[in-house]
């Protein structure tokens, strides 16, 4: 059954991979982009515009996110999207010798929650979207999900972005929304060994403080993270098993 999906961070590798698969499967997608042409230029001229709606705006602007949450005026539906794929992130800024926005994920997810509240209160939209938020391995409070060799890298070089990811997770954990946090291992470019390499997933229940299964690995491609999200959280028959869970995924 076709779903409605909102993408925040669709121009990035993970978001774009998930978006491509969702459109190919016939799901109705909306993407919020600061520069819409950055995304639209990556699709052929004859792409089905009925399935993809691109809204201009910043993911830290409550009104922009609200606009993307609202169904098109022509739509008879008065419901929120089925899924929100949240994969925004910061970039390393050479002039600052640090991240260009050290709280990009934390503030972004707070914006999503505020926009959902506004959509329900002011526009009477019904529905309970599943928020799929991109985090990282190495931030668990309950178990090690990275190889020992990576521990210094994660706790020193990636300290600032991981602090932001953890803050984002805590915001979701304290909310009343439905969510799944995806924690990929270290990113590599491109799908390794084709598009069907086995992806392992560990499952953590942060409410109970319980690691239900483990998957410790070194790397995974952004494209394959998008594949895993699509196959397991958008179309997966067992998507419910990942509700309010952290998924550590790796090769």
């Amino acid at each position: 059954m076709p779903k409605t999906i909102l993408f925040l961070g669709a121009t990035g590798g993970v978001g774009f991979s998930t978006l491509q698969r969702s459109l190919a499967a016939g799901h109705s997608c909306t993407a919020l982009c600061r520069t819409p042409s950055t995304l639209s230029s990556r699709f052929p001229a004859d792409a089905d515009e009925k399935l993809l709606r691109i809204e201009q705006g910043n993911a830290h602007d409550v009104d922009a996110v609200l606009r993307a949450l609202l169904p098109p005026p022509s739509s008879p539906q008065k419901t929120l999207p089925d899924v929100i794929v949240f994969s925004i992130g910061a970039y390393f800024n050479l002039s600052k010798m640090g991240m260009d926005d050290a709280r990009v994920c934390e503030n972004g997810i707070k914006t999503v929650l505020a926009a959902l509240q506004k959509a329900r209160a002011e526009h009477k939209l019904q529905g309970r979207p599943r928020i799929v938020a991109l985090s990282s391995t190495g931030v668990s409070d309950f178990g090690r999900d990275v190889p020992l060799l990576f521990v210094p890298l994660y706790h020193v070089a990636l300290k600032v972005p991981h602090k932001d990811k953890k803050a984002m997770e805590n915001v979701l954990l304290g909310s009343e929304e439905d969510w799944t946090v995806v924690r990929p291992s270290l990113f590599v470019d491109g799908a390794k060994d084709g598009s069907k390499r086995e992806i392992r997933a560990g499952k953590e229940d942060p409410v109970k403080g319980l690691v239900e299964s483990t998957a410790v690995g070194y790397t995974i491609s952004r494209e394959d993270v998008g594949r895993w999200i699509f196959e397991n959280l958008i179309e997966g028959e067992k998507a419910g098993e990942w509700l309010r869970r952290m998924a550590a995924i790796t090769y």
Side-chain angles (χ1 to χ4, degrees), residues 19 23 28-31 39 43 48-54:
L19 174 62
L23 290 172
S28 181
C29 302
T30 299
L39 181 61
F43 290 98
D48 191 345
E49 294 183 358
K50 293 180 180 179
L51 290 181
L52 177 60
R53 174 171 64 114
I54 302 177

Side-chain angles (χ1 to χ4, degrees), residues 65-85:
V65 177
L66 173 63
R67 191 168 63 250
L69 283 169
L70 297 176
S74 60
S75 173
Q77 300 292 332
K78 297 301 177 185
T79 58
L80 290 163
D82 298 305
V83 182
I84 299 172
V85 178

Side-chain angles (χ1 to χ4, degrees), residues 45-244:
D46 59 351
D48 191 345
E49 294 183 358
K50 293 180 180 179
L51 290 181
L52 177 60
R53 174 171 64 114
I54 302 177
E55 288 283 347
Q56 194 279 328
N58 191 311
H60 285 169
D61 181 342
V62 172
D63 288 334
V65 177
L66 173 63
R67 191 168 63 250
L69 283 169
L70 297 176
S74 60
S75 173
Q77 300 292 332
K78 297 301 177 185
T79 58
L80 290 163
D82 298 305
V83 182
I84 299 172
V85 178
F86 180 89
S87 58
I88 69 173
Y91 294 94
F92 187 81
N93 189 317
L94 283 174
S95 64
K96 297 179 180 179
M97 289 305 293
M99 308 307 293
D100 59 355
D101 185 345
R103 298 178 63 191
V104 61
C105 296
E106 178 188 5
N107 290 335
I109 207 67
K110 287 179 178 178
T111 302
V112 171
L113 298 183
L116 283 170
Q117 183 178 22
K118 201 168 184 179
R120 291 173 177 133
E122 298 182 5
H123 297 269
K124 310 303 180 185
L125 293 190
Q126 303 297 311
R128 193 176 181 84
R130 165 83 66 94
I131 302 172
V132 177
L134 191 68
S135 185
S136 172
T137 51
V139 298
S140 173
D141 291 327
F142 309 110
R144 178 173 59 83
D145 54 9
V146 298
L148 285 172
L149 186 64
F150 276 10
V151 171
L153 169 68
Y154 276 51
H155 287 265
V156 178
L158 299 177
K159 182 178 180 179
V160 173
H162 280 189
K163 181 180 179 181
D164 183 37
K165 295 292 189 184
K166 188 63 180 177
M168 174 197 71
E169 292 185 3
N170 288 337
V171 170
L172 283 173
L173 188 58
S175 77
E176 297 182 356
E177 301 294 341
D178 289 343
W179 51 264
T180 299
V181 168
V182 179
R183 292 171 168 170
S185 53
L186 193 66
F187 281 141
V188 292
D189 290 325
K192 198 169 184 178
D193 299 335
S195 62
K196 290 298 180 182
R197 183 171 179 181
E198 180 186 0
I199 299 171
R200 297 179 293 121
K203 184 185 293 183
E204 178 181 296
D205 182 344
V207 177
K208 295 181 179 179
L210 177 65
V211 177
E212 299 175 333
S213 62
T214 59
V216 178
Y218 287 90
T219 62
I220 192 168
S221 74
R222 293 172 175 83
E223 183 177 336
D224 275 345
V225 175
R227 172 166 67 92
W228 190 90
I229 291 173
F230 172 74
E231 292 178 351
N232 292 275
L233 303 180
I234 292 177
E235 292 218 321
E237 294 180 0
K238 297 182 179 181
E241 295 181 4
W242 294 99
L243 185 63
R244 298 184 74 82

Side-chain angles (χ1 to χ4, degrees), residues 8-30:
L8 304 174
T11 57
V14 173
F16 187 69
S17 173
T18 313
L19 174 62
Q20 281 184 303
R21 288 171 166 81
S22 300
L23 290 172
H27 298 300
S28 181
C29 302
T30 299

